[in-house]
């Protein structure tokens, strides 16, 4: 049986997918929730939110992600970061997955990746779970119903959590697999019910396709000034650096919270929804995101809740610290209706420096921006992982290495060229520690961070006096209204300034050692900017 809205010439049968049971095409949110409840996939929460558990996998499985190695992509994939799969292994995986799917019910969503029509990707997502259909419908951009009549997918994603891969037969690492075949325009996901694999597969596709068109794909949030999309800011940052919190400024318009492109026309969101962490979320600190957890159709993942009242426990991380909610972008009051912005006027690179070395804000040249973009630095702190007893550096190139099919310098060169072409100002913002490393110092005051960001975005920070940092060579403001001068010079915040110098030298060396992997691929000005 076939149900729902679909282009008659673009059914699964036309793609060689036969023998399924009921196929539900492009069901809307109420019908998807009804089907998920019928199948006992989750629980209806307060306000119509849908509460689910993802089972064994409560996060992504980056080590189980593979790219099919073919002549067409041989020279363009970053193979050190993207383990290869042979075409024969992929074909065996696909055949076995289709056999496994026979007689089963599946849910198809035809969606867009990208708010800019000139660069969007038309994606078909086939899911075994109805709530996965709800999730991806929330996270990607939803076509008008009339647009579905002529929809032809550029790429198809098939997600079948109940299918377990065979490493010996399918050329993978475990029973979990995410296999991307750029030649066949097909992605297969098996052995995991974590819904984020769907979203990040689309991001990975765009990260491969768009740079070939001169479009920068970015793991960042973005906002713009009210009634002025030309005044756009983008925020790069790894988990825990404040990317979502700092971009969700009620005085500015939110373009998106995670994935964007920078084209010849400006900035555009890839998505139609947000995927926010909910651990320790509060109505006081982040009222709009908190409110989405009790709105109709929001998918709430891996949260503990009262079985009777369905009240969510935002502090109980006994299932996972990676508890999340997925909600449509329009649930945020100041969200952009178009999800479009201008060329970034300001680029913010967020880092959480647990070593207490970096200043709260620094201005970067284009070459320095490429250096810090390729470095993608943040840090783990003691207690976050077993065996971590002192701050440890984390370097994730381009602030999103797991989603980067191409070599890092491809993205770095694109970013540097666009910064130079459009006159963007780039800032490195440290939301980590001051007055000492983690365990001795204190967290950077959020009030000071917001004041510095406000001054950067309104242009007033550019007019103050700057000094050159002795360790990294970037420019650091000497004095900024509303911010204590001592905070701007991290060495002065340490009681033992000799200890600061030792820690700074240690961090500089960590950066240098990490950056050796890029030395053969970058220009001389970036090498010179590596350490000032």
């Amino acid at each position: 049986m076939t149900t729902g809205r679909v282009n008659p010439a673009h059914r699964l049968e036309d793609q060689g997918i036969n023998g399924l049971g009921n196929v539900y095409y492009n069901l809307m949110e109420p019908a998807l929730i009804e089907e998920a409840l019928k199948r006992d996939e989750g629980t209806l929460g307060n306000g119509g939110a849908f509460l689910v558990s993802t089972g064994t996998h409560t996060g992504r499985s980056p080590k189980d992600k593979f790219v099919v190695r073919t002549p067409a992509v041989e020279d363009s994939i970053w193979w050190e970061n993207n383990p290869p799969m042979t075409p024969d292994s992929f074909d065996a995986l696909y055949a076995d997955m289709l056999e496994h799917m026979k007689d089963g019910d599946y849910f198809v969503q035809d969606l867009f990746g990208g708010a800019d029509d000139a660069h969007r990707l038309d994606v078909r997502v086939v899911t075994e779970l109805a709530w996965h259909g709800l999730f991806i419908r929330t996270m990607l951009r939803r076509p008008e119903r009339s647009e579905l009549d002529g929809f032809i997918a550029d790429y198809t994603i098939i997600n079948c959590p109940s299918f377990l891969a065979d490493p010996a037969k399918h050329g993978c690492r475990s029973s979990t697999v995410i296999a991307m075949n750029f030649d066949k325009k097909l992605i297969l996901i098996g052995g995991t019910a974590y819904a984020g694999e769907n979203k990040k597969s689309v991001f990975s596709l765009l990260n491969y396709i768009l740079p070939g068109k001169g479009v920068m794909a970015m793991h960042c949030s973005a906002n713009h000034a009210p009634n002025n999309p030309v005044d756009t800011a983008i925020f790069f940052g790894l988990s825990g650096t404040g990317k979502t919190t700092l971009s969700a400024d009620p005085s500015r318009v939110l373009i998106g919270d995670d994935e964007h492109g920078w084209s010849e026309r400006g900035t555009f969101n890839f998505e139609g929804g947000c995927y926010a962490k909910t651990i320790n979320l509060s109505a006081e600190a982040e009222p709009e995101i908190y409110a989405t957890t009790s709105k109709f159709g929001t998918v709430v993942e891996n949260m503990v809740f009262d079985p009777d009242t369905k009240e969510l426990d935002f502090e109980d991380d006994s299932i996972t610290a990676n508890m999340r909610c997925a909600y449509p972008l329009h649930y945020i009051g100041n969200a952009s209706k178009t999800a479009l912005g201008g060329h970034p006027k300001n680029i913010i690179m967020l880092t959480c420096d647990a070593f207490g070395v970096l200043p709260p804000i620094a201005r970067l040249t284009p070459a320095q921006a490429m250096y810090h973009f390729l470095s993608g630095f943040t840090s783990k702190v003691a207690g976050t992982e077993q065996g971590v007893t002192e701050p440890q550096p984390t370097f994730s190139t381009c602030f999103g290495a797991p989603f980067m099919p191409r070599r890092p310098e491809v993205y770095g060169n694109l970013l540097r060229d666009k910064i130079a072409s459009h006159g963007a100002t780039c800032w490195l913002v440290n939301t980590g520690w001051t007055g000492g490393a983690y365990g001795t110092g204190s967290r950077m005051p959020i009030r000071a961070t917001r004041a510095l960001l406000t001054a950067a975005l309104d242009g007033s920070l550019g007019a103050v006096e700057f000094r050159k940092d002795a360790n990294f060579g970037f420019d650091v403001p000497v004095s900024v209204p509303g911010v204590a001068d001592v905070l701007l010079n991290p060495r002065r915040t340490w009681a033992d300034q000799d200890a600061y110098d030792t820690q700074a030298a240690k961090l500089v060396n960590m950066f240098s050692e990490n950056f050796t992997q890029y030395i053969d691929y970058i220009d001389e000005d970036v090498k010179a900017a590596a350490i000032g």
Side-chain angles (χ1 to χ4, degrees):
M1 182 183 79
T2 295
T3 302
R5 191 71 170 265
V6 63
N7 177 359
H10 194 47
R11 299 183 186 276
L12 290 181
E13 293 92 330
D14 298 309
Q15 296 178 256
I17 303 174
N18 299 295
L20 304 184
N22 298 317
V23 179
Y24 301 88
Y25 289 92
N26 297 306
L27 297 186
M28 298 182 73
E29 291 80 356
L32 287 166
I33 291 175
E34 285 179 352
E35 293 295 336
L37 288 170
K38 264 196 272 186
R39 290 162 170 77
D40 198 27
E41 293 178 3
T43 302
L44 196 64
N46 291 324
F50 195 68
L51 316 180
V52 299
S53 167
T54 63
T56 304
H57 294 269
T58 57
R60 292 180 298 99
S61 301
K63 293 182 179 178
D64 293 306
K65 183 177 177 182
F66 298 84
V67 173
V68 178
R69 193 166 200 157
T70 65
V73 300
E74 175 67 37
D75 297 329
S76 56
I77 298 293
W78 181 20
W79 294 113
E80 295 87 347
N81 188 59
N82 296 272
M85 175 181 284
T86 68
D88 287 345
S89 293
F90 182 87
D91 291 344
L93 175 68
Y94 188 32
D96 288 348
M97 185 176 283
L98 291 183
E99 184 63 29
H100 175 86
M101 292 168 62
K102 283 186 177 176
D103 299 322
D105 293 352
Y106 284 84
F107 298 86
V108 177
Q109 287 288 319
D110 293 325
L111 301 161
F112 300 147
D116 185 339
D117 288 345
H119 300 295
R120 87 178 187 213
L121 189 71
D122 295 357
V123 183
R124 164 164 284 184
V125 185
V126 182
T127 63
E128 180 180 23
L129 298 172
W131 81 261
H132 272 197
L134 175 65
F135 172 90
I136 200 63
R137 179 174 174 80
T138 298
M139 290 310 306
L140 293 187
R141 303 193 63 79
R142 298 163 288 280
E144 298 294 331
R145 303 300 282 175
S146 59
E147 292 179 285
L148 295 172
D149 294 336
F151 187 97
I152 298 291
D154 298 315
Y155 280 79
T156 296
I157 299 169
I158 301 176
N159 190 325
C160 187
S162 67
F163 174 81
L164 302 180
D166 179 348
K169 185 177 182 181
H170 301 136
C172 50
R173 189 185 70 98
S174 72
S175 60
T176 298
V177 66
I178 303 98
M180 307 181 67
N181 191 322
F182 289 103
D183 283 17
K184 294 192 173 182
K185 299 188 174 182
L186 183 62
I187 297 176
L188 306 178
I189 303 172
T192 172
Y194 182 66
E197 298 289 10
N198 297 296
K199 158 189 156 70
K200 289 305 185 184
S201 290
V202 177
F203 186 37
S204 296
L205 283 175
L206 288 164
N207 275 332
Y208 181 75
I209 294 166
L210 292 181
K213 301 166 66 177
V215 177
M216 179 68 187
M218 305 177 292
H219 186 210
C220 70
S221 57
N223 63 26
H224 68 71
N227 303 312
N228 186 13
V230 172
D231 186 0
T232 292
I234 59 175
F235 300 75
F236 291 104
L238 297 168
S239 179
T241 58
K243 177 164 59 80
T244 298
T245 299
L246 293 172
S247 64
D249 182 341
S251 68
R252 292 174 67 87
V253 177
L254 179 66
I255 301 171
D257 82 325
D258 197 38
E259 300 167 4
H260 294 79
W262 184 355
S263 75
E264 71 285 355
R265 301 197 291 186
T267 309
F268 62 99
N269 192 355
F270 290 166
E271 301 183 303
C274 300
Y275 194 31
K277 285 188 175 181
T278 56
I279 187 168
N280 298 324
L281 187 66
S282 71
E284 294 74 29
E286 296 180 271
E288 287 201 292
I289 297 176
Y290 183 90
T292 69
T293 61
S294 58
K295 289 190 175 184
F296 182 79
T298 293
V299 177
V300 177
E301 283 184 344
N302 298 319
M303 288 192 68
V304 174
F305 59 90
D306 186 289
D308 297 319
T309 66
K310 304 301 186 291
E311 290 295 322
L312 302 170
D313 189 332
F314 292 89
E315 297 180 357
D316 189 338
D317 63 355
S318 57
I319 298 175
T320 177
N322 192 37
M323 57 181 79
R324 290 180 179 265
C325 65
Y327 52 89
L329 195 60
H330 64 259
Y331 279 3
I332 301 298
N334 65 327
S336 167
K337 290 182 171 57
T338 64
L340 300 172
H343 296 290
K345 184 177 178 182
N346 286 280
I347 296 171
I348 316 297
M349 295 185 185
L350 299 167
T351 182
C352 177
D353 173 24
F355 296 87
V357 169
L358 295 176
I361 196 165
R363 186 174 59 192
L364 307 177
T365 66
Q368 289 170 338
M370 182 175 178
Y371 174 74
H372 285 277
F373 180 67
L374 289 175
S375 297
F377 167 72
T378 192
S379 45
K380 298 175 185 177
V381 297
T384 58
E385 290 184 9
Q386 187 173 357
V388 177
T389 58
E390 63 177 11
Q392 292 186 359
T394 298
F395 294 96
S396 183
T397 186
C398 308
F399 297 98
F403 326 118
M404 304 296 171
R406 296 179 182 270
R407 280 204 54 85
E409 60 273 9
V410 172
Y411 306 102
N413 285 327
L414 263 174
L415 181 66
R416 185 185 62 175
D417 292 347
K418 286 186 176 295
I419 289 172
S421 295
H422 299 287
T425 303
C426 192
W427 307 91
L428 182 70
V429 172
N430 174 26
T431 60
W433 270 257
T434 183
Y438 173 84
T440 301
S442 58
R443 195 74 190 256
M444 195 72 69
I446 185 65
R447 184 174 296 179
T449 301
R450 289 193 183 279
L452 291 167
L453 275 176
T454 297
L457 298 183
D458 69 19
S460 61
L461 189 58
V464 305
E465 180 186 354
F466 285 80
R467 65 175 177 84
K468 191 163 291 291
D469 182 81
N471 298 302
F472 288 92
F474 41 49
D475 292 336
V476 180
V478 174
S479 181
V480 178
V483 180
D485 288 355
V486 65
L487 198 65
L488 296 169
N489 189 335
R491 188 175 189 272
R492 289 178 57 199
T493 67
W494 283 53
D496 183 345
Q497 295 188 358
D498 289 339
Y500 171 86
D501 293 338
T502 299
Q503 188 79 302
K506 182 178 178 181
L507 184 60
V508 166
N509 187 58
M510 291 174 182
F511 266 83
S512 297
E513 288 183 356
N514 173 72
F515 206 75
T516 57
Q517 63 186 301
Y518 308 122
I519 290 298
D520 293 337
Y521 303 97
I522 59 172
D523 294 337
E524 291 301 319
D525 59 340
V526 180
K527 291 179 184 178
I531 299 296

